[in-house]
Structure formats: C-alpha cells, structure tokens
Amino acid sequence: MGAPLVSVAVVARTVAQLWNKPIIGVNHCVGHIEMGRLVTGADNPVVLYVSGGNTQVIAYSDRRYRIFGETIDIAVGNCLDRFARVLQLSNDPSPGYNIEQLAKCGNKFLELPYVTKGMDVSFSGILSYIEDRAVALLESGEYTKEDLCFSLQETVFAMLIEITERAMAHCGSSEVLIVGGVGCNERLQEMMREMAKARDAKLFATDERFCIDNGAMIAQAGYEMYQSGQLTKWEDTFCTQRYRTDEVQVTWR
C-alpha cells in the first residue's frame, strides 16, 4: 500500500503546483463516513467502521469523530480474510465475500471464543483458535466449511453489534451507519438491523459500490473540507498509517 499512496501523493502535489490549486489530505475513515452519510441520508449516526485494516465504533461530538471502541489487535476483515486462506477459498471476487456465501449454507454452530473488553474487541485469539482446529474438524466430518464460516461470522459480528449498541445507548442515538468493506456483508446488516429495531432505531447501510474503498469517498470528504475552508499545508502533504479518525477536525459539521 505504501508505494502506491506515495506515488499518488507525488502526482497530486505536481497537479496542485502546475494548475495552482489547493491540496487537501483526507483521512481514509472520514472518507468512508462522509460517503455513507451522503448516500444514505443519515444525520448523526453512531458509525461502525469495519474493513480489512480497521474496526472502530465512532460517534460525532464537538468537531471530532470520537472513537468509542475498536479492535485491540487485528481488524475483523483481516480475521475473515486469513481464515479464508485456511480454507483455501478463492480471492475472486474477495475472500470475505466467499466466506459470506458459504456461511449462508452453514447450520451447525461451533462455539468460539467471544472477546469483548469493555468497548473494545479482539479477533486474533478467535482466529488462532479456529485455525488450529479447522483441518481436524473438517477431516473428521463433524463440521463442514460452511459450518465453520457460519460460526466465525456469527461470533465476530455479534461482538461488533454488542459494542455498537453500547455506543448508541451512551449517545442516545437512534441511527447507526455501517461503513467499510465488511459493511456490505448482508448478514452483518441483518444483525445490525435487528438490534436497531429493538431500540426503535434505524440502520443506514450501502452496498459494495460505496462500502468498498473508492476514489469518490475521498473526493466527497475533500469537498466537504474545502467548502469549510480546511486546506492542507504543503509540508503536511505526506502519507501516514497513523492518522487516526479522532485526529481530524471536522470543520464542516
């Protein structure tokens, strides 16, 4: 990821200089949130941001997107992708999508570690547990690939729903928005919808056109920043993995 990002940043700086245009650095997570708000019409939701590299529960307050809870190790998307490799599932169109399809046919639940720590979650132990046992369980005929995908999905998604509901209760929110690549998983949306309904709240979610990383979401967030007068200083136009969601001053809300 580093090399493409740095290359594109060089192009962006060059274009800005050639045409004397302002340059705006956009936080990746904020791009997901603003695209989700634009497409769904959500006003002030609690946000579940789930992807291959990130897992966070977020809510807006006082010009910041505040992180209420997050993974303390690997992201949920990374957990699913790595288990797909254990099962030797195809990368076409994506490992997570293929796990989702197999999970729809699973009907035998394998109890897995359920790890929530306050408002945070942990997926590395769950992954290690099922990785260590998967081959033996499949060879014995006790469980199928479909059963294991079903069990993993149900467990990790239940953890995410739990911490999201806590954030909604704390904020008194009646809206929840799912963003990020894992957000287009229909089972995750179904579970979140059931929780929201029980709280007289509403779920906002999109499909793969807007959940998966795309240039439009960066452009939308950049537009919001520009309209509010927020530009990036030339010396700050570098790429960093450690640009956290709550470091961004949300001047457009």
Side-chain angles (χ1 to χ4, degrees):
M1 287 293 290
L5 283 172
V6 170
S7 300
V8 172
V10 170
V11 173
R13 292 189 201 99
T14 303
V15 170
Q17 284 186 310
L18 285 173
W19 280 279
N20 194 28
K21 298 293 183 182
I23 189 168
I24 300 172
V26 175
N27 178 279
H28 185 84
C29 174
V30 171
H32 275 295
I33 294 172
E34 293 307 326
M35 175 57 79
R37 290 181 62 233
L38 175 69
V39 171
T40 65
D43 178 33
N44 188 28
V46 167
V47 180
L48 175 63
Y49 171 35
V50 279
S51 68
N54 298 277
T55 300
Q56 294 178 339
V57 176
I58 301 160
Y60 173 79
S61 175
D62 193 23
R63 293 291 178 96
R64 301 276 176 174
Y65 281 119
R66 311 288 177 175
I67 300 173
F68 276 73
E70 60 189 323
T71 177
I72 61 174
D73 40 56
I74 63 174
V76 64
N78 184 247
C79 176
L80 296 172
D81 289 351
R82 287 169 61 179
F83 185 60
R85 287 198 288 274
V86 172
L87 297 183
Q88 298 182 335
L89 302 183
S90 171
N91 287 330
D92 183 21
S94 72
Y97 176 83
N98 292 325
I99 281 188
E100 178 184 0
Q101 301 314 307
L102 285 178
K104 292 177 180 178
C105 301
N107 51 35
K108 188 175 182 181
F109 182 76
L110 172 67
E111 188 169 344
L112 299 172
Y114 186 99
V115 190
T116 58
K117 301 186 177 185
M119 283 297 296
D120 295 328
V121 289
S122 171
F123 299 112
S124 61
I126 301 169
L127 178 63
S128 297
Y129 183 93
I130 197 169
E131 278 182 335
D132 291 344
R133 292 160 176 77
V135 174
L137 291 171
L138 293 172
E139 288 180 348
S140 69
E142 188 177 356
Y143 290 88
T144 64
K145 287 185 177 181
E146 290 81 358
D147 293 333
L148 296 183
C149 290
F150 165 71
S151 301
L152 182 60
Q153 263 201 177
E154 292 297 302
T155 303
V156 298
F157 289 171
M159 291 161 54
L160 295 172
I161 301 301
E162 178 184 335
I163 63 171
T164 304
E165 184 174 16
R166 285 203 202 124
M168 293 177 69
H170 179 82
C171 297
S173 177
S174 60
E175 297 181 331
V176 57
L177 170 67
I178 307 177
V179 300
V182 181
C184 56
N185 185 294
E186 293 178 353
R187 177 56 181 156
L188 176 59
Q189 292 186 13
E190 179 185 12
M191 293 172 70
M192 189 70 80
R193 186 175 293 108
E194 290 174 3
M195 180 274 285
K197 183 179 179 181
R199 297 185 58 82
D200 291 324
K202 184 176 181 181
L203 167 67
F204 295 87
T206 64
D207 57 30
E208 65 277 1
R209 294 174 299 168
F210 306 107
C211 278
I212 296 173
D213 293 352
N214 60 85
M217 73 185 200
I218 301 301
Q220 168 62 18
Y223 171 78
E224 296 283 5
M225 294 169 71
Y226 178 75
Q227 288 292 97
S228 67
Q230 186 177 163
L231 304 177
T232 304
K233 295 179 181 178
W234 192 257
E235 58 269 23
D236 293 333
T237 59
F238 56 87
C239 303
T240 174
Q241 278 187 303
R242 305 189 183 281
Y243 189 21
R244 285 178 59 82
T245 312
D246 51 5
E247 292 179 15
V248 180
Q249 186 174 13
V250 185
T251 54
W252 57 94
R253 292 190 61 179

PDB file of all heavy atoms in Angstrom, residues 136-161:
ATOM      1  N   ALA A 136      -8.703 -30.507  11.392  1.00  0.00           N
ATOM      2  CA  ALA A 136      -9.176 -31.705  12.089  1.00  0.00           C
ATOM      3  C   ALA A 136     -10.694 -31.796  12.083  1.00  0.00           C
ATOM      4  O   ALA A 136     -11.264 -32.886  11.883  1.00  0.00           O
ATOM      5  CB  ALA A 136      -8.653 -31.706  13.524  1.00  0.00           C
ATOM      6  N   LEU A 137     -11.362 -30.685  12.283  1.00  0.00           N
ATOM      7  CA  LEU A 137     -12.830 -30.683  12.290  1.00  0.00           C
ATOM      8  C   LEU A 137     -13.396 -31.049  10.921  1.00  0.00           C
ATOM      9  O   LEU A 137     -14.400 -31.765  10.816  1.00  0.00           O
ATOM     10  CB  LEU A 137     -13.350 -29.311  12.722  1.00  0.00           C
ATOM     11  CG  LEU A 137     -13.120 -28.928  14.187  1.00  0.00           C
ATOM     12  CD1 LEU A 137     -13.479 -27.462  14.413  1.00  0.00           C
ATOM     13  CD2 LEU A 137     -13.937 -29.826  15.117  1.00  0.00           C
ATOM     14  N   LEU A 138     -12.743 -30.561   9.877  1.00  0.00           N
ATOM     15  CA  LEU A 138     -13.202 -30.868   8.513  1.00  0.00           C
ATOM     16  C   LEU A 138     -12.918 -32.325   8.156  1.00  0.00           C
ATOM     17  O   LEU A 138     -13.765 -33.013   7.562  1.00  0.00           O
ATOM     18  CB  LEU A 138     -12.526 -29.926   7.515  1.00  0.00           C
ATOM     19  CG  LEU A 138     -12.913 -28.444   7.613  1.00  0.00           C
ATOM     20  CD1 LEU A 138     -12.037 -27.602   6.698  1.00  0.00           C
ATOM     21  CD2 LEU A 138     -14.380 -28.245   7.262  1.00  0.00           C
ATOM     22  N   GLU A 139     -11.740 -32.816   8.505  1.00  0.00           N
ATOM     23  CA  GLU A 139     -11.364 -34.187   8.163  1.00  0.00           C
ATOM     24  C   GLU A 139     -12.209 -35.211   8.915  1.00  0.00           C
ATOM     25  O   GLU A 139     -12.491 -36.298   8.400  1.00  0.00           O
ATOM     26  CB  GLU A 139      -9.883 -34.422   8.458  1.00  0.00           C
ATOM     27  CG  GLU A 139      -8.956 -33.701   7.479  1.00  0.00           C
ATOM     28  CD  GLU A 139      -7.483 -33.934   7.790  1.00  0.00           C
ATOM     29  OE1 GLU A 139      -7.183 -34.458   8.901  1.00  0.00           O
ATOM     30  OE2 GLU A 139      -6.639 -33.590   6.938  1.00  0.00           O
ATOM     31  N   SER A 140     -12.639 -34.862  10.112  1.00  0.00           N
ATOM     32  CA  SER A 140     -13.474 -35.778  10.895  1.00  0.00           C
ATOM     33  C   SER A 140     -14.907 -35.838  10.375  1.00  0.00           C
ATOM     34  O   SER A 140     -15.656 -36.755  10.710  1.00  0.00           O
ATOM     35  CB  SER A 140     -13.488 -35.342  12.367  1.00  0.00           C
ATOM     36  OG  SER A 140     -14.206 -34.119  12.522  1.00  0.00           O
ATOM     37  N   GLY A 141     -15.279 -34.852   9.572  1.00  0.00           N
ATOM     38  CA  GLY A 141     -16.643 -34.794   9.059  1.00  0.00           C
ATOM     39  C   GLY A 141     -17.637 -34.208  10.042  1.00  0.00           C
ATOM     40  O   GLY A 141     -18.836 -34.124   9.763  1.00  0.00           O
ATOM     41  N   GLU A 142     -17.117 -33.777  11.208  1.00  0.00           N
ATOM     42  CA  GLU A 142     -18.003 -33.230  12.234  1.00  0.00           C
ATOM     43  C   GLU A 142     -18.577 -31.881  11.816  1.00  0.00           C
ATOM     44  O   GLU A 142     -19.725 -31.545  12.132  1.00  0.00           O
ATOM     45  CB  GLU A 142     -17.233 -33.093  13.545  1.00  0.00           C
ATOM     46  CG  GLU A 142     -18.089 -32.729  14.732  1.00  0.00           C
ATOM     47  CD  GLU A 142     -17.295 -32.664  16.037  1.00  0.00           C
ATOM     48  OE1 GLU A 142     -16.086 -32.975  16.014  1.00  0.00           O
ATOM     49  OE2 GLU A 142     -17.887 -32.296  17.061  1.00  0.00           O
ATOM     50  N   TYR A 143     -17.746 -31.092  11.109  1.00  0.00           N
ATOM     51  CA  TYR A 143     -18.178 -29.790  10.614  1.00  0.00           C
ATOM     52  C   TYR A 143     -17.789 -29.653   9.145  1.00  0.00           C
ATOM     53  O   TYR A 143     -16.818 -30.268   8.685  1.00  0.00           O
ATOM     54  CB  TYR A 143     -17.527 -28.654  11.412  1.00  0.00           C
ATOM     55  CG  TYR A 143     -18.027 -28.529  12.830  1.00  0.00           C
ATOM     56  CD1 TYR A 143     -17.425 -29.255  13.864  1.00  0.00           C
ATOM     57  CD2 TYR A 143     -19.091 -27.703  13.145  1.00  0.00           C
ATOM     58  CE1 TYR A 143     -17.868 -29.144  15.169  1.00  0.00           C
ATOM     59  CE2 TYR A 143     -19.546 -27.585  14.451  1.00  0.00           C
ATOM     60  CZ  TYR A 143     -18.934 -28.304  15.455  1.00  0.00           C
ATOM     61  OH  TYR A 143     -19.392 -28.183  16.746  1.00  0.00           O
ATOM     62  N   THR A 144     -18.537 -28.829   8.427  1.00  0.00           N
ATOM     63  CA  THR A 144     -18.218 -28.523   7.033  1.00  0.00           C
ATOM     64  C   THR A 144     -17.592 -27.134   6.952  1.00  0.00           C
ATOM     65  O   THR A 144     -17.622 -26.365   7.927  1.00  0.00           O
ATOM     66  CB  THR A 144     -19.477 -28.549   6.164  1.00  0.00           C
ATOM     67  OG1 THR A 144     -20.370 -27.488   6.601  1.00  0.00           O
ATOM     68  CG2 THR A 144     -20.195 -29.892   6.270  1.00  0.00           C
ATOM     69  N   LYS A 145     -17.050 -26.788   5.790  1.00  0.00           N
ATOM     70  CA  LYS A 145     -16.541 -25.429   5.591  1.00  0.00           C
ATOM     71  C   LYS A 145     -17.652 -24.415   5.829  1.00  0.00           C
ATOM     72  O   LYS A 145     -17.425 -23.344   6.410  1.00  0.00           O
ATOM     73  CB  LYS A 145     -15.986 -25.275   4.176  1.00  0.00           C
ATOM     74  CG  LYS A 145     -14.662 -25.985   3.923  1.00  0.00           C
ATOM     75  CD  LYS A 145     -14.147 -25.670   2.525  1.00  0.00           C
ATOM     76  CE  LYS A 145     -12.783 -26.319   2.282  1.00  0.00           C
ATOM     77  NZ  LYS A 145     -12.242 -26.004   0.944  1.00  0.00           N
ATOM     78  N   GLU A 146     -18.829 -24.760   5.372  1.00  0.00           N
ATOM     79  CA  GLU A 146     -19.967 -23.858   5.549  1.00  0.00           C
ATOM     80  C   GLU A 146     -20.261 -23.617   7.026  1.00  0.00           C
ATOM     81  O   GLU A 146     -20.541 -22.485   7.445  1.00  0.00           O
ATOM     82  CB  GLU A 146     -21.205 -24.437   4.856  1.00  0.00           C
ATOM     83  CG  GLU A 146     -21.154 -24.430   3.338  1.00  0.00           C
ATOM     84  CD  GLU A 146     -20.359 -25.594   2.741  1.00  0.00           C
ATOM     85  OE1 GLU A 146     -19.809 -26.406   3.517  1.00  0.00           O
ATOM     86  OE2 GLU A 146     -20.309 -25.686   1.507  1.00  0.00           O
ATOM     87  N   ASP A 147     -20.191 -24.684   7.832  1.00  0.00           N
ATOM     88  CA  ASP A 147     -20.447 -24.551   9.267  1.00  0.00           C
ATOM     89  C   ASP A 147     -19.407 -23.646   9.934  1.00  0.00           C
ATOM     90  O   ASP A 147     -19.751 -22.827  10.794  1.00  0.00           O
ATOM     91  CB  ASP A 147     -20.411 -25.930   9.940  1.00  0.00           C
ATOM     92  CG  ASP A 147     -21.546 -26.840   9.502  1.00  0.00           C
ATOM     93  OD1 ASP A 147     -22.605 -26.322   9.111  1.00  0.00           O
ATOM     94  OD2 ASP A 147     -21.347 -28.068   9.539  1.00  0.00           O
ATOM     95  N   LEU A 148     -18.158 -23.818   9.562  1.00  0.00           N
ATOM     96  CA  LEU A 148     -17.095 -23.021  10.177  1.00  0.00           C
ATOM     97  C   LEU A 148     -17.205 -21.547   9.790  1.00  0.00           C
ATOM     98  O   LEU A 148     -16.998 -20.659  10.626  1.00  0.00           O
ATOM     99  CB  LEU A 148     -15.724 -23.574   9.795  1.00  0.00           C
ATOM    100  CG  LEU A 148     -15.409 -25.000  10.289  1.00  0.00           C
ATOM    101  CD1 LEU A 148     -13.986 -25.395   9.906  1.00  0.00           C
ATOM    102  CD2 LEU A 148     -15.614 -25.123  11.795  1.00  0.00           C
ATOM    103  N   CYS A 149     -17.529 -21.274   8.525  1.00  0.00           N
ATOM    104  CA  CYS A 149     -17.724 -19.883   8.091  1.00  0.00           C
ATOM    105  C   CYS A 149     -18.912 -19.259   8.820  1.00  0.00           C
ATOM    106  O   CYS A 149     -18.850 -18.105   9.265  1.00  0.00           O
ATOM    107  CB  CYS A 149     -17.944 -19.833   6.580  1.00  0.00           C
ATOM    108  SG  CYS A 149     -16.484 -20.226   5.596  1.00  0.00           S
ATOM    109  N   PHE A 150     -19.975 -20.025   8.937  1.00  0.00           N
ATOM    110  CA  PHE A 150     -21.164 -19.568   9.660  1.00  0.00           C
ATOM    111  C   PHE A 150     -20.832 -19.247  11.109  1.00  0.00           C
ATOM    112  O   PHE A 150     -21.204 -18.191  11.642  1.00  0.00           O
ATOM    113  CB  PHE A 150     -22.236 -20.659   9.576  1.00  0.00           C
ATOM    114  CG  PHE A 150     -23.376 -20.509  10.549  1.00  0.00           C
ATOM    115  CD1 PHE A 150     -24.327 -19.510  10.394  1.00  0.00           C
ATOM    116  CD2 PHE A 150     -23.509 -21.389  11.623  1.00  0.00           C
ATOM    117  CE1 PHE A 150     -25.383 -19.377  11.288  1.00  0.00           C
ATOM    118  CE2 PHE A 150     -24.550 -21.261  12.521  1.00  0.00           C
ATOM    119  CZ  PHE A 150     -25.487 -20.251  12.362  1.00  0.00           C
ATOM    120  N   SER A 151     -20.099 -20.131  11.773  1.00  0.00           N
ATOM    121  CA  SER A 151     -19.756 -19.953  13.185  1.00  0.00           C
ATOM    122  C   SER A 151     -18.875 -18.736  13.400  1.00  0.00           C
ATOM    123  O   SER A 151     -19.081 -17.959  14.347  1.00  0.00           O
ATOM    124  CB  SER A 151     -19.043 -21.208  13.702  1.00  0.00           C
ATOM    125  OG  SER A 151     -19.857 -22.356  13.547  1.00  0.00           O
ATOM    126  N   LEU A 152     -17.880 -18.562  12.531  1.00  0.00           N
ATOM    127  CA  LEU A 152     -16.979 -17.418  12.670  1.00  0.00           C
ATOM    128  C   LEU A 152     -17.716 -16.108  12.443  1.00  0.00           C
ATOM    129  O   LEU A 152     -17.575 -15.155  13.219  1.00  0.00           O
ATOM    130  CB  LEU A 152     -15.811 -17.546  11.687  1.00  0.00           C
ATOM    131  CG  LEU A 152     -14.757 -16.435  11.749  1.00  0.00           C
ATOM    132  CD1 LEU A 152     -14.118 -16.359  13.136  1.00  0.00           C
ATOM    133  CD2 LEU A 152     -13.688 -16.634  10.685  1.00  0.00           C
ATOM    134  N   GLN A 153     -18.502 -16.048  11.396  1.00  0.00           N
ATOM    135  CA  GLN A 153     -19.272 -14.830  11.106  1.00  0.00           C
ATOM    136  C   GLN A 153     -20.191 -14.458  12.262  1.00  0.00           C
ATOM    137  O   GLN A 153     -20.225 -13.312  12.708  1.00  0.00           O
ATOM    138  CB  GLN A 153     -20.112 -15.013   9.838  1.00  0.00           C
ATOM    139  CG  GLN A 153     -19.510 -14.481   8.598  1.00  0.00           C
ATOM    140  CD  GLN A 153     -20.529 -14.206   7.485  1.00  0.00           C
ATOM    141  OE1 GLN A 153     -20.153 -13.716   6.457  1.00  0.00           O
ATOM    142  NE2 GLN A 153     -21.787 -14.503   7.678  1.00  0.00           N
ATOM    143  N   GLU A 154     -20.973 -15.423  12.731  1.00  0.00           N
ATOM    144  CA  GLU A 154     -21.938 -15.139  13.792  1.00  0.00           C
ATOM    145  C   GLU A 154     -21.244 -14.621  15.048  1.00  0.00           C
ATOM    146  O   GLU A 154     -21.736 -13.705  15.709  1.00  0.00           O
ATOM    147  CB  GLU A 154     -22.732 -16.405  14.122  1.00  0.00           C
ATOM    148  CG  GLU A 154     -23.664 -16.878  13.023  1.00  0.00           C
ATOM    149  CD  GLU A 154     -24.762 -15.886  12.714  1.00  0.00           C
ATOM    150  OE1 GLU A 154     -25.543 -15.529  13.625  1.00  0.00           O
ATOM    151  OE2 GLU A 154     -24.842 -15.454  11.543  1.00  0.00           O
ATOM    152  N   THR A 155     -20.092 -15.192  15.365  1.00  0.00           N
ATOM    153  CA  THR A 155     -19.386 -14.804  16.589  1.00  0.00           C
ATOM    154  C   THR A 155     -18.810 -13.395  16.490  1.00  0.00           C
ATOM    155  O   THR A 155     -19.050 -12.543  17.354  1.00  0.00           O
ATOM    156  CB  THR A 155     -18.264 -15.802  16.902  1.00  0.00           C
ATOM    157  OG1 THR A 155     -18.821 -17.119  17.016  1.00  0.00           O
ATOM    158  CG2 THR A 155     -17.562 -15.430  18.200  1.00  0.00           C
ATOM    159  N   VAL A 156     -18.045 -13.129  15.435  1.00  0.00           N
ATOM    160  CA  VAL A 156     -17.389 -11.815  15.344  1.00  0.00           C
ATOM    161  C   VAL A 156     -18.414 -10.704  15.101  1.00  0.00           C
ATOM    162  O   VAL A 156     -18.254  -9.588  15.620  1.00  0.00           O
ATOM    163  CB  VAL A 156     -16.290 -11.798  14.259  1.00  0.00           C
ATOM    164  CG1 VAL A 156     -15.194 -12.799  14.609  1.00  0.00           C
ATOM    165  CG2 VAL A 156     -16.832 -12.071  12.863  1.00  0.00           C
ATOM    166  N   PHE A 157     -19.474 -11.002  14.360  1.00  0.00           N
ATOM    167  CA  PHE A 157     -20.491  -9.974  14.124  1.00  0.00           C
ATOM    168  C   PHE A 157     -21.276  -9.673  15.396  1.00  0.00           C
ATOM    169  O   PHE A 157     -21.643  -8.527  15.656  1.00  0.00           O
ATOM    170  CB  PHE A 157     -21.437 -10.397  13.007  1.00  0.00           C
ATOM    171  CG  PHE A 157     -20.820 -10.379  11.630  1.00  0.00           C
ATOM    172  CD1 PHE A 157     -21.499 -10.907  10.538  1.00  0.00           C
ATOM    173  CD2 PHE A 157     -19.559  -9.849  11.420  1.00  0.00           C
ATOM    174  CE1 PHE A 157     -20.930 -10.891   9.262  1.00  0.00           C
ATOM    175  CE2 PHE A 157     -18.978  -9.823  10.154  1.00  0.00           C
ATOM    176  CZ  PHE A 157     -19.678 -10.358   9.080  1.00  0.00           C
ATOM    177  N   ALA A 158     -21.539 -10.701  16.212  1.00  0.00           N
ATOM    178  CA  ALA A 158     -22.242 -10.472  17.477  1.00  0.00           C
ATOM    179  C   ALA A 158     -21.433  -9.555  18.389  1.00  0.00           C
ATOM    180  O   ALA A 158     -21.987  -8.683  19.073  1.00  0.00           O
ATOM    181  CB  ALA A 158     -22.515 -11.808  18.175  1.00  0.00           C
ATOM    182  N   MET A 159     -20.113  -9.729  18.387  1.00  0.00           N
ATOM    183  CA  MET A 159     -19.244  -8.853  19.176  1.00  0.00           C
ATOM    184  C   MET A 159     -19.357  -7.409  18.706  1.00  0.00           C
ATOM    185  O   MET A 159     -19.436  -6.474  19.520  1.00  0.00           O
ATOM    186  CB  MET A 159     -17.793  -9.332  19.060  1.00  0.00           C
ATOM    187  CG  MET A 159     -17.524 -10.664  19.744  1.00  0.00           C
ATOM    188  SD  MET A 159     -16.010 -11.475  19.162  1.00  0.00           S
ATOM    189  CE  MET A 159     -14.784 -10.197  19.393  1.00  0.00           C
ATOM    190  N   LEU A 160     -19.379  -7.219  17.396  1.00  0.00           N
ATOM    191  CA  LEU A 160     -19.470  -5.869  16.844  1.00  0.00           C
ATOM    192  C   LEU A 160     -20.818  -5.226  17.153  1.00  0.00           C
ATOM    193  O   LEU A 160     -20.892  -4.030  17.464  1.00  0.00           O
ATOM    194  CB  LEU A 160     -19.254  -5.916  15.328  1.00  0.00           C
ATOM    195  CG  LEU A 160     -17.864  -6.351  14.865  1.00  0.00           C
ATOM    196  CD1 LEU A 160     -17.840  -6.534  13.350  1.00  0.00           C
ATOM    197  CD2 LEU A 160     -16.809  -5.344  15.293  1.00  0.00           C
ATOM    198  N   ILE A 161     -21.886  -6.014  17.081  1.00  0.00           N
ATOM    199  CA  ILE A 161     -23.217  -5.485  17.384  1.00  0.00           C
ATOM    200  C   ILE A 161     -23.279  -5.057  18.846  1.00  0.00           C
ATOM    201  O   ILE A 161     -23.850  -4.015  19.189  1.00  0.00           O
ATOM    202  CB  ILE A 161     -24.307  -6.547  17.099  1.00  0.00           C
ATOM    203  CG1 ILE A 161     -24.272  -7.001  15.639  1.00  0.00           C
ATOM    204  CG2 ILE A 161     -25.689  -5.989  17.470  1.00  0.00           C
ATOM    205  CD1 ILE A 161     -24.470  -5.917  14.632  1.00  0.00           C
TER     206      ILE A 161
END
